[in-house]
Amino acid sequence: MTDDNSQPLRSSAVSAAQQPSAVAPRARLRELSPTAMWLTAAVIAVLTAAVVVVLWWAATSGLNGAELVTARLDALKIGLSIGVGSGGVIALYLSWRRQHSTERALAHQEHDSAERRLTELYLKAVEQLGSPQAAVRHGGLYALERVAQDNPRQQQTVVNVICAYLRNPYTPPPEIGGPRLLGVRRPLLKSTERPRSPAATLNGGTRETQLQEREVRLTAQRILHQHLQPGTDLDHPRHDFWPDIDIDLTGATLIDFFFIRCRTANASFRSATFIGEAVFIGVQFGALADFGRSEFGGNVRFIEAEFGGDAWFGGAEFGDYAWFDEAKFGGHAGFFEAEFGGDAGFDGVEFAGNARFDGAEFGGNVRFDGAEFGGDAGFDEAAFRGYARFEGVKFGGDARFRGAGFGGDDQFDQPEFGGAEFGGYAWLPGAAFGGAEFGGDALFQGAKFGGNARFDEAKFGGNARFEGAVYGGRALDPAEHGVSRRADEPAAAGDPGPGWQSFC
């Protein structure tokens, strides 16, 4: 990395180091002033004299001769003993107080010394990340890892520095980079390639230095992956787990990114570029997870991922397979205008909030078998080029497919909604299959419509099958819901047409 690229890291490190410590301020030594000491001595003397007087007069009344002398001597001894004892107690207290103050001073000195060593180690590690030598940058990452592991209060700061490093511009060597496929194949897009900018210079831009930087980045990714894994027992996480960490990898270039079984708070991967695989199996996002406009060049796996808050994939480009099977979305899920170049799987996915796929383009096959939509499901203007299957889907809210397109140029794979349950409004008006109309069969066998269901202006070139479909507690009558005849076979007078024979 060049000195210019490292400057932001150094600045952030200095700013963090200059922030006030969370430790309580140093306690001052509080010794008794001379006035207080004289006052204490005077009080002891007065008390001693009072005891002597009481014992001298009150306790010896009625005595004569030798007995009187002996009693008064005893009173004097007792009074002096009390005075000496009181003075000893005060002396012991003062000695304890002095010792305690000394120990506190030493403890604070040791703490200040440790804080200085920590700050020096942290600043040195950040400075190493700006070194032109790859080995030195590696050392800086390992030093930061040690700082975070030994000082839990610094874990978020260290993660911020590592993320800032990964956000620095980087172009891999030619055999790793190069043109990449976009999410959708022809003819939905005019071009299948997006040219990359020329390789960024790195110590002259040599292939060797780019490969070295690639290894440094893989080390940074490994540190994040290792320390954000709580382990199998969530009640007793691993000793090296860093909890409640926010991740900000906005615009970062990530290579073969593995984030398996990790747990974070907020996470931003917006506009990030994933080269190779991106594996988020079993990951737990505590709050917002933002993947908007990210580019995934290889396979993507969010299998069994849990999104505690909203999840955004709007405008994301999936160049190859994208699997979200058994994932759970606790908030809203946004896939607006996302582009899926290969097959996509959403089997068994649970959407607690609204799920919006408006304008999404599915270049390969897509399945939502057994998926549950707790809120509204929006597929307006979505394009399904391959096989689209919604077997056993449960739509808790409205299901909208207005202007959705199913089918490709060369062949048509019919959509299947067999066994689907529509709890709200089901809208498929103007849906285009294979162009302006349904190019083949559309299967809704066993579907259950709990709310209104409309198919106005939808045209079926093949059969639209509704065997076992139920609406309002009785068999669904397609004619009542706007289903038209087959487009290529007009019905004779009084005859509903052959395309209707399989409806009920």
Side-chain angles (χ1 to χ4, degrees), residues 33-60:
S33 63
T35 302
M37 294 179 64
W38 282 110
L39 181 61
T40 302
V43 171
I44 294 174
V46 171
L47 292 176
T48 301
V51 171
V52 171
V53 169
V54 171
L55 294 177
W56 185 279
W57 298 107
T60 59

mmCIF file of all heavy atoms in Angstrom, residues 33-60:
data_model
loop_
_atom_site.group_PDB
_atom_site.id
_atom_site.type_symbol
_atom_site.label_atom_id
_atom_site.label_comp_id
_atom_site.label_asym_id
_atom_site.label_seq_id
_atom_site.Cartn_x
_atom_site.Cartn_y
_atom_site.Cartn_z
ATOM 1 N N SER A 33 -4.209 17.503 56.575
ATOM 2 C CA SER A 33 -3.452 18.739 56.647
ATOM 3 C C SER A 33 -2.902 18.920 58.067
ATOM 4 O O SER A 33 -3.393 18.311 59.026
ATOM 5 C CB SER A 33 -4.347 19.921 56.289
ATOM 6 O OG SER A 33 -5.393 20.039 57.225
ATOM 7 N N PRO A 34 -1.854 19.787 58.272
ATOM 8 C CA PRO A 34 -1.331 20.024 59.636
ATOM 9 C C PRO A 34 -2.394 20.529 60.595
ATOM 10 O O PRO A 34 -2.421 20.133 61.772
ATOM 11 C CB PRO A 34 -0.242 21.073 59.387
ATOM 12 C CG PRO A 34 0.203 20.823 57.979
ATOM 13 C CD PRO A 34 -1.033 20.416 57.250
ATOM 14 N N THR A 35 -3.260 21.414 60.146
ATOM 15 C CA THR A 35 -4.331 21.922 61.007
ATOM 16 C C THR A 35 -5.219 20.790 61.505
ATOM 17 O O THR A 35 -5.588 20.712 62.694
ATOM 18 C CB THR A 35 -5.174 22.958 60.253
ATOM 19 O OG1 THR A 35 -4.329 24.020 59.810
ATOM 20 C CG2 THR A 35 -6.270 23.514 61.143
ATOM 21 N N ALA A 36 -5.587 19.862 60.549
ATOM 22 C CA ALA A 36 -6.432 18.734 60.940
ATOM 23 C C ALA A 36 -5.716 17.827 61.933
ATOM 24 O O ALA A 36 -6.330 17.283 62.866
ATOM 25 C CB ALA A 36 -6.850 17.948 59.693
ATOM 26 N N MET A 37 -4.405 17.650 61.749
ATOM 27 C CA MET A 37 -3.652 16.794 62.671
ATOM 28 C C MET A 37 -3.612 17.408 64.083
ATOM 29 O O MET A 37 -3.805 16.707 65.080
ATOM 30 C CB MET A 37 -2.235 16.581 62.136
ATOM 31 C CG MET A 37 -2.180 15.785 60.821
ATOM 32 S SD MET A 37 -0.500 15.567 60.201
ATOM 33 C CE MET A 37 0.209 14.586 61.505
ATOM 34 N N TRP A 38 -3.353 18.733 64.170
ATOM 35 C CA TRP A 38 -3.346 19.394 65.478
ATOM 36 C C TRP A 38 -4.725 19.351 66.130
ATOM 37 O O TRP A 38 -4.848 19.169 67.345
ATOM 38 C CB TRP A 38 -2.878 20.842 65.337
ATOM 39 C CG TRP A 38 -1.391 20.971 65.193
ATOM 40 C CD1 TRP A 38 -0.682 21.330 64.104
ATOM 41 C CD2 TRP A 38 -0.434 20.744 66.234
ATOM 42 N NE1 TRP A 38 0.665 21.344 64.340
ATOM 43 C CE2 TRP A 38 0.852 20.977 65.679
ATOM 44 C CE3 TRP A 38 -0.524 20.349 67.574
ATOM 45 C CZ2 TRP A 38 2.013 20.837 66.402
ATOM 46 C CZ3 TRP A 38 0.665 20.217 68.298
ATOM 47 C CH2 TRP A 38 1.912 20.453 67.723
ATOM 48 N N LEU A 39 -5.751 19.503 65.315
ATOM 49 C CA LEU A 39 -7.102 19.450 65.863
ATOM 50 C C LEU A 39 -7.407 18.071 66.426
ATOM 51 O O LEU A 39 -8.022 17.923 67.503
ATOM 52 C CB LEU A 39 -8.111 19.828 64.783
ATOM 53 C CG LEU A 39 -9.587 19.836 65.199
ATOM 54 C CD1 LEU A 39 -9.816 20.860 66.326
ATOM 55 C CD2 LEU A 39 -10.484 20.167 63.996
ATOM 56 N N THR A 40 -6.963 17.033 65.724
ATOM 57 C CA THR A 40 -7.175 15.671 66.209
ATOM 58 C C THR A 40 -6.445 15.436 67.526
ATOM 59 O O THR A 40 -6.982 14.827 68.472
ATOM 60 C CB THR A 40 -6.683 14.656 65.151
ATOM 61 O OG1 THR A 40 -7.380 14.882 63.923
ATOM 62 C CG2 THR A 40 -6.923 13.232 65.610
ATOM 63 N N ALA A 41 -5.197 15.940 67.594
ATOM 64 C CA ALA A 41 -4.431 15.785 68.836
ATOM 65 C C ALA A 41 -5.097 16.513 69.997
ATOM 66 O O ALA A 41 -5.138 16.008 71.146
ATOM 67 C CB ALA A 41 -3.004 16.295 68.627
ATOM 68 N N ALA A 42 -5.618 17.725 69.745
ATOM 69 C CA ALA A 42 -6.303 18.484 70.790
ATOM 70 C C ALA A 42 -7.539 17.759 71.293
ATOM 71 O O ALA A 42 -7.822 17.717 72.509
ATOM 72 C CB ALA A 42 -6.680 19.871 70.258
ATOM 73 N N VAL A 43 -8.299 17.154 70.382
ATOM 74 C CA VAL A 43 -9.494 16.406 70.777
ATOM 75 C C VAL A 43 -9.125 15.228 71.672
ATOM 76 O O VAL A 43 -9.770 14.953 72.697
ATOM 77 C CB VAL A 43 -10.268 15.947 69.527
ATOM 78 C CG1 VAL A 43 -11.379 14.976 69.913
ATOM 79 C CG2 VAL A 43 -10.842 17.137 68.787
ATOM 80 N N ILE A 44 -8.049 14.521 71.300
ATOM 81 C CA ILE A 44 -7.601 13.383 72.120
ATOM 82 C C ILE A 44 -7.188 13.856 73.517
ATOM 83 O O ILE A 44 -7.508 13.229 74.548
ATOM 84 C CB ILE A 44 -6.449 12.642 71.429
ATOM 85 C CG1 ILE A 44 -6.955 11.991 70.124
ATOM 86 C CG2 ILE A 44 -5.843 11.590 72.340
ATOM 87 C CD1 ILE A 44 -5.855 11.351 69.301
ATOM 88 N N ALA A 45 -6.439 14.998 73.584
ATOM 89 C CA ALA A 45 -5.995 15.530 74.883
ATOM 90 C C ALA A 45 -7.182 15.921 75.752
ATOM 91 O O ALA A 45 -7.208 15.642 76.971
ATOM 92 C CB ALA A 45 -5.068 16.724 74.667
ATOM 93 N N VAL A 46 -8.181 16.569 75.160
ATOM 94 C CA VAL A 46 -9.359 16.983 75.927
ATOM 95 C C VAL A 46 -10.110 15.773 76.464
ATOM 96 O O VAL A 46 -10.534 15.730 77.637
ATOM 97 C CB VAL A 46 -10.274 17.871 75.055
ATOM 98 C CG1 VAL A 46 -11.602 18.115 75.758
ATOM 99 C CG2 VAL A 46 -9.592 19.190 74.753
ATOM 100 N N LEU A 47 -10.278 14.758 75.600
ATOM 101 C CA LEU A 47 -10.969 13.550 76.058
ATOM 102 C C LEU A 47 -10.201 12.855 77.176
ATOM 103 O O LEU A 47 -10.793 12.361 78.150
ATOM 104 C CB LEU A 47 -11.169 12.594 74.869
ATOM 105 C CG LEU A 47 -12.156 13.059 73.787
ATOM 106 C CD1 LEU A 47 -12.165 12.066 72.634
ATOM 107 C CD2 LEU A 47 -13.556 13.203 74.379
ATOM 108 N N THR A 48 -8.878 12.826 77.036
ATOM 109 C CA THR A 48 -8.059 12.197 78.082
ATOM 110 C C THR A 48 -8.197 12.948 79.404
ATOM 111 O O THR A 48 -8.364 12.351 80.492
ATOM 112 C CB THR A 48 -6.590 12.169 77.644
ATOM 113 O OG1 THR A 48 -6.471 11.446 76.420
ATOM 114 C CG2 THR A 48 -5.727 11.508 78.707
ATOM 115 N N ALA A 49 -8.112 14.300 79.343
ATOM 116 C CA ALA A 49 -8.254 15.103 80.553
ATOM 117 C C ALA A 49 -9.627 14.919 81.186
ATOM 118 O O ALA A 49 -9.764 14.836 82.419
ATOM 119 C CB ALA A 49 -8.020 16.580 80.225
ATOM 120 N N ALA A 50 -10.658 14.827 80.347
ATOM 121 C CA ALA A 50 -12.009 14.646 80.884
ATOM 122 C C ALA A 50 -12.125 13.329 81.618
ATOM 123 O O ALA A 50 -12.741 13.237 82.705
ATOM 124 C CB ALA A 50 -13.023 14.722 79.742
ATOM 125 N N VAL A 51 -11.554 12.265 81.058
ATOM 126 C CA VAL A 51 -11.607 10.958 81.713
ATOM 127 C C VAL A 51 -10.859 11.010 83.058
ATOM 128 O O VAL A 51 -11.324 10.474 84.077
ATOM 129 C CB VAL A 51 -11.020 9.877 80.788
ATOM 130 C CG1 VAL A 51 -10.867 8.557 81.543
ATOM 131 C CG2 VAL A 51 -11.910 9.693 79.573
ATOM 132 N N VAL A 52 -9.687 11.670 83.041
ATOM 133 C CA VAL A 52 -8.895 11.757 84.276
ATOM 134 C C VAL A 52 -9.651 12.533 85.351
ATOM 135 O O VAL A 52 -9.692 12.147 86.529
ATOM 136 C CB VAL A 52 -7.530 12.407 83.981
ATOM 137 C CG1 VAL A 52 -6.795 12.702 85.296
ATOM 138 C CG2 VAL A 52 -6.687 11.499 83.101
ATOM 139 N N VAL A 53 -10.268 13.641 84.954
ATOM 140 C CA VAL A 53 -11.010 14.448 85.930
ATOM 141 C C VAL A 53 -12.157 13.653 86.535
ATOM 142 O O VAL A 53 -12.395 13.677 87.752
ATOM 143 C CB VAL A 53 -11.514 15.747 85.272
ATOM 144 C CG1 VAL A 53 -12.505 16.472 86.178
ATOM 145 C CG2 VAL A 53 -10.353 16.655 84.949
ATOM 146 N N VAL A 54 -12.912 12.961 85.679
ATOM 147 C CA VAL A 54 -14.044 12.180 86.193
ATOM 148 C C VAL A 54 -13.561 11.120 87.168
ATOM 149 O O VAL A 54 -14.126 10.935 88.277
ATOM 150 C CB VAL A 54 -14.817 11.547 85.016
ATOM 151 C CG1 VAL A 54 -15.853 10.548 85.537
ATOM 152 C CG2 VAL A 54 -15.493 12.630 84.193
ATOM 153 N N LEU A 55 -12.526 10.381 86.750
ATOM 154 C CA LEU A 55 -12.017 9.336 87.650
ATOM 155 C C LEU A 55 -11.336 9.933 88.886
ATOM 156 O O LEU A 55 -11.342 9.331 89.965
ATOM 157 C CB LEU A 55 -11.026 8.447 86.875
ATOM 158 C CG LEU A 55 -11.629 7.611 85.732
ATOM 159 C CD1 LEU A 55 -10.536 6.849 85.010
ATOM 160 C CD2 LEU A 55 -12.672 6.639 86.279
ATOM 161 N N TRP A 56 -10.739 11.103 88.716
ATOM 162 C CA TRP A 56 -10.006 11.731 89.845
ATOM 163 C C TRP A 56 -10.962 12.180 90.932
ATOM 164 O O TRP A 56 -10.700 11.966 92.111
ATOM 165 C CB TRP A 56 -9.204 12.911 89.292
ATOM 166 C CG TRP A 56 -8.305 13.574 90.313
ATOM 167 C CD1 TRP A 56 -8.639 14.484 91.253
ATOM 168 C CD2 TRP A 56 -6.910 13.370 90.462
ATOM 169 N NE1 TRP A 56 -7.567 14.868 91.990
ATOM 170 C CE2 TRP A 56 -6.452 14.190 91.520
ATOM 171 C CE3 TRP A 56 -5.959 12.549 89.821
ATOM 172 C CZ2 TRP A 56 -5.134 14.241 91.939
ATOM 173 C CZ3 TRP A 56 -4.643 12.623 90.239
ATOM 174 C CH2 TRP A 56 -4.243 13.445 91.276
ATOM 175 N N TRP A 57 -12.053 12.810 90.562
ATOM 176 C CA TRP A 57 -12.971 13.363 91.565
ATOM 177 C C TRP A 57 -14.168 12.436 91.843
ATOM 178 O O TRP A 57 -14.423 12.081 92.987
ATOM 179 C CB TRP A 57 -13.475 14.730 91.108
ATOM 180 C CG TRP A 57 -12.375 15.742 90.965
ATOM 181 C CD1 TRP A 57 -11.845 16.229 89.832
ATOM 182 C CD2 TRP A 57 -11.674 16.371 92.032
ATOM 183 N NE1 TRP A 57 -10.837 17.125 90.073
ATOM 184 C CE2 TRP A 57 -10.708 17.238 91.451
ATOM 185 C CE3 TRP A 57 -11.734 16.297 93.424
ATOM 186 C CZ2 TRP A 57 -9.825 18.015 92.198
ATOM 187 C CZ3 TRP A 57 -10.857 17.094 94.176
ATOM 188 C CH2 TRP A 57 -9.915 17.929 93.571
ATOM 189 N N ALA A 58 -14.897 12.090 90.808
ATOM 190 C CA ALA A 58 -16.130 11.335 91.052
ATOM 191 C C ALA A 58 -15.852 9.947 91.592
ATOM 192 O O ALA A 58 -16.547 9.449 92.488
ATOM 193 C CB ALA A 58 -16.939 11.252 89.757
ATOM 194 N N ALA A 59 -14.831 9.272 91.055
ATOM 195 C CA ALA A 59 -14.572 7.886 91.456
ATOM 196 C C ALA A 59 -13.828 7.772 92.778
ATOM 197 O O ALA A 59 -13.712 6.676 93.334
ATOM 198 C CB ALA A 59 -13.786 7.169 90.355
ATOM 199 N N THR A 60 -13.277 8.921 93.291
ATOM 200 C CA THR A 60 -12.498 8.829 94.534
ATOM 201 C C THR A 60 -13.154 9.551 95.708
ATOM 202 O O THR A 60 -12.528 9.759 96.762
ATOM 203 C CB THR A 60 -11.095 9.425 94.305
ATOM 204 O OG1 THR A 60 -11.237 10.794 93.907
ATOM 205 C CG2 THR A 60 -10.347 8.650 93.225
#
